[in-house]
Amino acid sequence: MPEFSRLEPHVVAEILRICETMLDEFDQSYKHSFRLTDVHGFGDFDSAQQLAADYRRKAAGTPESARERMQQFIDALTQLRD
């Protein structure tokens, strides 16, 4: 079994184009993710405030949150592209 694969230049160019397109999409989503923590309209009850806090936590601030997941995808795709 060979230790490396050889790709034709046009295949490499197409892979790079796809990676760049995906990175652009992820970058836009990442920028939009900063608005996800702006939750309001849940009311003044304690349960409503807890629900709003849960939505903020799912948006950002933990390794499993949306913003951090997007950054993980960006990092992985950047590494793959490079």
Side-chain angles (χ1 to χ4, degrees):
M1 178 177 256
E3 293 185 24
F4 64 92
S5 296
R6 181 171 175 84
L7 298 173
E8 295 297 322
H10 72 280
V11 173
V12 173
E14 181 66 11
I15 291 170
L16 290 174
R17 186 191 66 74
I18 292 168
C19 285
E20 289 300 328
T21 299
M22 291 176 66
L23 281 169
D24 289 343
E25 297 277 335
F26 278 124
D27 285 338
Q28 287 299 318
S29 295
Y30 184 78
K31 289 174 186 172
H32 290 304
S33 74
F34 284 87
R35 296 189 317 220
L36 293 174
T37 56
D38 184 24
V39 295
H40 49 79
F42 285 91
D44 295 328
F45 292 120
D46 287 341
S47 60
Q49 294 302 310
Q50 290 170 355
L51 183 60
D54 285 343
Y55 276 111
R56 279 191 291 276
R57 198 171 18 263
K58 287 182 181 196
T62 68
E64 298 83 21
S65 65
R67 185 180 307 148
E68 281 70 17
R69 287 288 187 215
M70 282 184 251
Q71 186 61 55
Q72 291 168 0
F73 286 133
I74 290 168
D75 293 346
L77 189 54
T78 300
Q79 184 178 6
L80 177 66
R81 179 203 60 198
D82 293 348

